[in-house]
Amino acid sequence: MQAEPWERSAADLAALMRRSFEATAAPAPALDVAPLGVRDAFTEAATDARTDEADAPDAVPDAVPVRFYGRHAVVGPFPGGESHRPCARCLARRWQGVRSVALREALELGSGTRAAGESPYITPFTADALAGIVAARLAGQGPRTGSFPAVHLVDLETLRVRHYPLVPDPECPRCGRGEQDTADAAVLTLNPAPKHKPGSFRLRDISAYELPVEPYANPVCGSLGPSVVQDISSASTSATIGCFSMRSGDYLRETFWGGHADTFAQSVRIGVLEGLERYAGMRSRAKTAGVLGSLNGLRAAGEHTLDPREVGLYSEEFHRANPRVTPFHPDRELPWVWGYSLRDHRPVLVPEVLTYYHAPGLENRFVQESSNGCASGGCMEEAVYFGLMEVVERDAFLLTWYGKAALPELDPRTSTRAATRQMVDRLEMYGYEARFFDTRISFPIPVITGVAVRPDGGPGRMCFGAGAGLDPESALSGALCEIATDAVNLQGRTARDEARLRAMATDYDKVAALHDHPLAYGIPEMGNNAHFLIGEPGAPRPRKRPLAEAYGDGSLPPVSDDLRDDLTRCVNAVTDKGFDVVVVDQTMPEQRDLGLTTVSVIVPGLLPIDFGWTRQRALGMPRLRTALREAGLRAHDLTDADLNLAPHPFP
């Protein structure tokens, strides 16, 4: 059988590189030369021309990988070290993950690629350059790249060389570190967690973590995408944005991550943390769901389980309109993962799709969860605290929105933080009034809703954000950060997409995706749905409450120097109302190596946030009708006629 052009190119390059070593009288190392982009690296059966499988009969132990594609070659990762991680398969998987949509579709959906001919860049000159890199690295030279080893990108036309750190792929079939998902492994013990400074809810400052952007965002093997960009159009914060893609069936889903701090350097670090958190939460990469069964079957066997009906299900109308989404049934077999109940102090089985929101197996996805409740921290206690705060925040916001709750307005200029007051002034310069509302509903935990409003009611009319935490100043800052970043770009985004957004204002079913919800409220008439909260333009307003007055009445739990104490108080505040707090550990091996923990926190019974008007589970949940009455904000339970039947504007 005639060899493929890429096979001949690989053989030629290997021979030329061996000849280069012979010419220098240096010992020639074993080489593993192969192209990239000819097979799907994400399937276990995929192999390069010289396979990366350690147990394959033609594998060469400790061979130096050399990969080529187009006008480029990649040298590394170099063998050595006790872990032998990452490997050439990790490189192939990471490389494919940052390729163009067209190439990924060809490789991953089966149409494949073919070489137009043998590579014109395979010459003695380029082979000498590649051999020189290999020799230098084997002699102990090369860049220091922290926790992750470097691979070298060589432009075969100019011979320019760059290096990039390669993060091991946790799903690599050769060197991924799989973990057992068991009830015993899910047991969670809260330990002392002293804060790094007063007023913080973190164990360490973000600068204490090894979070350079290069391993996570680079064009060769970035684990969180090919690049991160500075959003210079954001005039209020130094925002950064990155994106990675992950396949979900036939759909290649883009997932954005970023940071919104006062400096680009700080925003990048925050963004990397967010990207790792989302990467970990989309599907389990370190452990596989070990339990398959039905709710009724598992309960009959004596297992403790989380009932999906308690977290909300789609309406019958949704399933009639979307017959491909099979509704949940207690006799339906599903994959389950182990979590831990902080109320009952015992392991509990959780449907995989409720915690890993893009787990493989579309047939199992009776609802489409989001990253709500997913959070990262320097320890388990920190991650659980921030995950719980997010769940409480979203629940309070949805109760406010759908229940038309008129809430006390707060005066942000009474904040003790100069940065907060300055940001409010900065938004005013850009034509937006920053307004904030005390959104405590059921729990004595500060939740603050922020709204940036154009007083003239024009396009880009308003955007929303929220924050939650035991410190009201931090909650206010969190809400302000969200609206400050979005508001200054809202007018332009509304103008660019005005026709589509105006269609949403008359047909809510067109609000179908996450970004549709906040963008729809750039249309002036959509803002009328928020009059219950902010009042009609020109109408008299109630007095704003200073923060010290609103939160200085002794109703808040005390704040400790130990985050475990804060978390325990918050968990007790939730469980005292009859709710459970379930934690699933989502931490990936590379996060654990960096001292990070990622969790998903689920509180069955609180309102879940959904994106897409037809998917709103909150509208069918009992809590939406009863919570405002139980909190003393209504005299009676809500009826359908009392509800604000407009898509929520949460970003």
Side-chain angles (χ1 to χ4, degrees), residues 553-566:
D553 58 1
S555 61
L556 300 183
V559 176
S560 169
D561 292 333
D562 192 312
L563 187 57
R564 179 180 65 172
D565 298 337
D566 294 341

Side-chain angles (χ1 to χ4, degrees), residues 71-131:
R71 59 182 279 182
H72 294 98
V74 183
V75 182
F78 285 79
E82 296 180 2
S83 66
H84 297 284
R85 300 172 64 251
C87 68
R89 177 68 68 81
C90 291
L91 171 64
R93 292 169 65 93
R94 296 296 196 196
W95 178 88
Q96 186 170 314
V98 296
R99 291 309 102 197
S100 68
V101 171
L103 179 56
R104 289 195 60 180
E105 299 283 64
L107 290 173
E108 297 164 24
L109 297 184
S111 63
T113 64
R114 66 179 180 86
E118 294 182 39
S119 172
Y121 299 105
I122 306 303
T123 67
F125 192 56
T126 57
D128 287 347
L130 296 174

Side-chain angles (χ1 to χ4, degrees), residues 177-264:
R177 291 177 288 174
E179 302 172 3
Q180 292 294 317
D181 185 35
T182 65
D184 289 343
V187 173
L188 192 159
T189 301
L190 298 181
N191 297 309
K195 301 173 183 178
H196 78 96
K197 67 177 182 180
S200 172
F201 290 84
R202 299 285 185 184
L203 265 68
R204 288 180 278 172
D205 186 81
I206 190 173
S207 62
Y209 296 98
E210 184 185 347
L211 290 172
V213 71
E214 290 80 10
Y216 307 105
N218 73 67
V220 175
C221 54
S223 64
L224 297 178
S227 63
V228 59
V229 298
Q230 297 176 349
D231 183 8
I232 58 174
S233 67
S234 174
S236 56
T237 60
S238 300
T240 56
I241 304 168
C243 177
F244 65 87
S245 299
M246 193 185 81
R247 184 160 299 283
S248 182
D250 291 341
Y251 177 52
L252 196 58
R253 174 188 173 86
E254 286 187 326
T255 298
F256 289 88
W257 50 269
H260 310 280
D262 291 333
T263 67
F264 287 121

Side-chain angles (χ1 to χ4, degrees), residues 303-324:
E303 299 287 7
H304 300 291
T305 57
L306 188 157
D307 189 336
R309 293 168 293 194
E310 295 182 26
V311 301
L313 300 173
Y314 294 147
S315 66
E316 293 180 3
E317 291 79 9
F318 171 85
H319 287 290
R320 282 196 293 268
N322 298 272
R324 294 179 62 184

Side-chain angles (χ1 to χ4, degrees), residues 434-459:
R435 301 180 62 183
F436 300 89
F437 299 87
D438 182 354
T439 318
R440 284 175 290 178
I441 305 293
S442 299
F443 313 114
I445 297 171
V447 178
I448 296 178
T449 294
V451 193
V453 187
R454 277 191 67 170
D456 63 3

Side-chain angles (χ1 to χ4, degrees), residues 539-612:
R541 298 182 186 177
R543 167 182 170 268
K544 295 180 183 178
R545 300 187 66 192
L547 265 68
E549 175 187 311
Y551 299 102
D553 58 1
S555 61
L556 300 183
V559 176
S560 169
D561 292 333
D562 192 312
L563 187 57
R564 179 180 65 172
D565 298 337
D566 294 341
L567 172 60
T568 299
R569 293 187 183 103
C570 292
V571 169
N572 290 341
V574 173
T575 58
D576 286 349
K577 296 289 186 178
F579 300 98
D580 197 0
V581 177
V582 177
V583 179
V584 178
D585 187 351
Q586 299 177 327
T587 312
M588 298 183 297
E590 56 264 42
Q591 288 178 301
R592 210 179 304 280
D593 291 346
L594 294 172
L596 296 168
T597 299
T598 295
V599 301
S600 169
V601 177
I602 304 171
V603 180
L606 296 194
L607 299 189
I609 194 159
D610 290 300
F611 299 97

